[in-house]
Amino acid sequence: MNAARIAIVLSLSSSPALAEKITLKPLIDARLRYENVEQAGFAQGADAVTMRVRAGIEARTGDFSLLSEAVGTLAIVENYNSGVNGRTAFPIVPDPQTIGLNRLQLQYRGLPGTVVTLGRQRINLDDQRFVGSVGWRQNEQTFDAARVEWTGIKNLKADVTYAWSDRTIWGINGGNRHGPARYAAIGGDNVFANLALKTAIGTLTGFAYLIDQDEPLVLRNSSATYGGRFAGARPLGDGVKLNYVASYAHQTDHARNPNRYAANYYLGELALNVAALRFGGGYEVLGADNGVPLTSFQAPLGTLHKFNGWADKFLVTPPNGLRDAYALAGYGWKKLGRFEAIALTASYHRFDSDRSGQHYGNEIDLQASARSGRATVLAKYADYRADKFATDTRKFWLSLEWAI
């Protein structure tokens, strides 16, 4: 990556655009969080108090911008297994103590309807189901990549990325000595391609995600996924709106994956907004092939905490696949006293296998959040009750975040 850093700096410094005015924008994002985990099978629960700070600067001149951002996470109370600290007597809280370069990217906007981004960058596609930054964790996932976004035709957007490295959440101490696939970075040849068309009733997106990972312990994550997604909203009356999402994808093994498999993905969701009240539900299926591990539908580069329950029991899809039937409800206030954007949400999940007729378990998730100026406070709870998969797990979070 050193050569890439030098190339970025030289590209900017040699550009005629330097004759133009340079504007600087500071970047600061800090989060203090407490996480507690009580999990069956462990004699003691996990208590984690961590502080994450991302700080950097973005310089703009003409059609160019250069962004540099560092990240550091401090484990203030480390009574937990971070995944790389060796404290396996505790349940896992994957927020290791780390410091490093989070982003270093050069962006060019000089071509009509086109944005080109080169370097270490954050990539969130659609709802982050298949490619995302894993922003819930203290150390987010970024990519060393070249990305082109094109909007040269009205209501149409093409978005293509080639990523040669996935910078994981495990930080500077990541490595295979700490367990399965906990690398600091995973090299490979990954291609993410999206083509989205906006219509009067929603956005129709076709996608292709080709994941080719080089490290020995993650070869089985290499896959080719092709599919489509439709998402939109429709007003039904004064203060009433119907939201809908439908998605389908087909996945097969790819590149050097030693497994041979094919699996399908389905999602359907409906939600109704009535003034400040929101309620609805959905059904998501990550299909299975033959019941062998890692031959079910996987999404190793997605923001997985957003899906299938906040207890994170299904970050890797079980060999027999997963069916998630869920209901959700929420209520919000635009302003209440000193606070803005106050929101209460709740959801219930029933988890079953895609093959073999297993009931995995059920989960209840609750969250309350509010913003005051640049600060956001959040309280969150997840309760997974196991039947035929994993173990009973309860998690609680309390956090304070400040950003500019």
Side-chain angles (χ1 to χ4, degrees):
M1 187 57 191
N2 288 337
R5 296 180 195 175
I6 294 171
I8 289 173
V9 173
L10 290 178
S11 296
L12 185 58
S13 62
S14 62
S15 169
L18 273 184
E20 302 185 32
K21 180 181 178 181
I22 297 177
T23 60
L24 301 177
K25 177 184 177 183
L27 306 169
I28 301 176
D29 183 341
R31 180 165 63 196
L32 175 66
R33 182 158 68 196
Y34 167 69
E35 179 169 346
N36 171 263
V37 181
E38 300 291 337
Q39 184 173 336
F42 288 87
Q44 52 191 335
D47 286 293
V49 179
T50 56
M51 178 71 185
R52 185 260 289 142
V53 177
R54 290 197 291 255
I57 194 164
E58 183 180 31
R60 290 185 176 272
T61 179
D63 296 321
F64 288 90
S65 66
L66 178 64
L67 185 154
S68 179
E69 180 183 65
V71 62
T73 299
L74 174 65
I76 300 170
V77 176
E78 200 176 4
N79 296 327
Y80 67 99
N81 175 14
S82 74
V84 298
N85 63 0
R87 300 192 173 192
T88 56
F90 296 99
I92 190 166
V93 176
D95 286 328
Q97 185 164 266
T98 188
I99 189 169
L101 179 68
N102 193 52
R103 290 188 288 169
L104 180 64
Q105 65 181 52
L106 175 68
Q107 195 168 86
Y108 177 64
R109 296 176 176 265
L111 300 175
T114 304
V115 179
V116 180
T117 309
L118 175 66
R120 187 165 300 175
Q121 55 191 284
R122 178 185 296 134
I123 300 177
N124 291 316
L125 299 179
D126 295 320
D127 61 353
Q128 306 181 42
R129 187 59 176 104
F130 303 113
V131 180
S133 61
V134 197
W136 174 248
R137 300 289 18 137
Q138 297 285 50
N139 187 43
E140 70 176 343
Q141 174 175 259
T142 57
F143 298 89
D144 293 335
R147 182 181 185 185
V148 179
E149 300 168 81
W150 179 79
T151 55
I153 297 177
K154 184 180 180 181
N155 295 326
L156 186 68
K157 179 179 180 181
D159 189 335
V160 180
T161 298
Y162 168 68
W164 58 89
S165 180
D166 164 25
R167 315 298 299 194
T168 75
I169 67 170
W170 301 112
I172 58 174
N173 293 317
N176 58 14
R177 67 187 183 278
H178 296 295
R182 289 176 187 154
Y183 297 102
I186 301 172
D189 296 291
N190 307 294
V191 177
F192 315 136
N194 270 32
L195 185 63
L197 175 66
K198 288 185 178 180
T199 73
I201 58 173
T203 298
L204 178 63
T205 304
F207 54 81
Y209 301 129
L210 307 180
I211 298 175
D212 178 5
Q213 298 193 321
D214 289 343
E215 300 293 347
L217 294 180
V218 293
L219 288 179
R220 287 174 172 80
N221 283 337
S222 297
S223 63
T225 302
Y226 301 91
R229 183 176 187 268
F230 183 74
R234 191 78 174 171
L236 300 180
D238 187 21
V240 180
K241 183 172 66 174
L242 178 67
N243 304 272
Y244 38 84
V245 181
S247 185
Y248 167 79
H250 181 71
Q251 184 178 95
T252 61
D253 55 275
H254 179 61
R256 292 178 295 159
N257 190 334
N259 287 332
R260 294 294 175 263
Y261 76 98
N264 294 317
Y265 170 87
Y266 306 90
L267 169 69
E269 181 179 298
L270 291 173
L272 194 65
N273 285 24
V274 182
L277 176 66
R278 178 183 176 90
F279 59 92
Y283 190 62
E284 185 179 39
V285 178
L286 291 88
D289 187 336
N290 54 21
V292 172
L294 296 177
T295 62
S296 50
F297 196 103
Q298 305 291 332
L301 299 183
T303 300
L304 302 183
H305 181 78
K306 289 183 63 179
F307 305 90
N308 310 132
W310 296 335
D312 290 339
K313 309 310 289 187
F314 300 98
L315 300 181
V316 176
T317 309
N320 287 321
L322 173 66
R323 298 188 178 194
D324 178 7
Y326 58 92
L328 55 91
Y331 194 85
W333 296 262
K334 291 184 178 180
K335 190 172 181 61
L336 188 63
R338 296 182 55 185
F339 292 97
E340 313 157 39
I342 303 161
L344 303 175
T345 61
S347 63
Y348 170 81
H349 297 259
R350 177 188 168 92
F351 301 113
D352 296 284
S353 64
D354 183 53
R355 66 189 294 274
S356 79
Q358 293 178 306
H359 175 225
Y360 289 150
N362 303 313
E363 182 170 327
I364 294 174
D365 296 322
L366 306 171
Q367 179 177 292
S369 64
R371 188 180 73 246
S372 178
R374 298 185 182 277
T376 301
V377 293
L378 178 144
K380 187 169 173 176
Y381 175 75
D383 187 353
Y384 176 77
R385 299 299 175 95
D387 186 357
K388 296 291 194 298
F389 184 82
T391 56
D392 291 352
T393 302
R394 290 182 295 277
K395 297 186 178 185
F396 173 74
W397 302 266
L398 186 62
S399 71
L400 173 63
E401 188 164 354
W402 185 89
I404 61 171

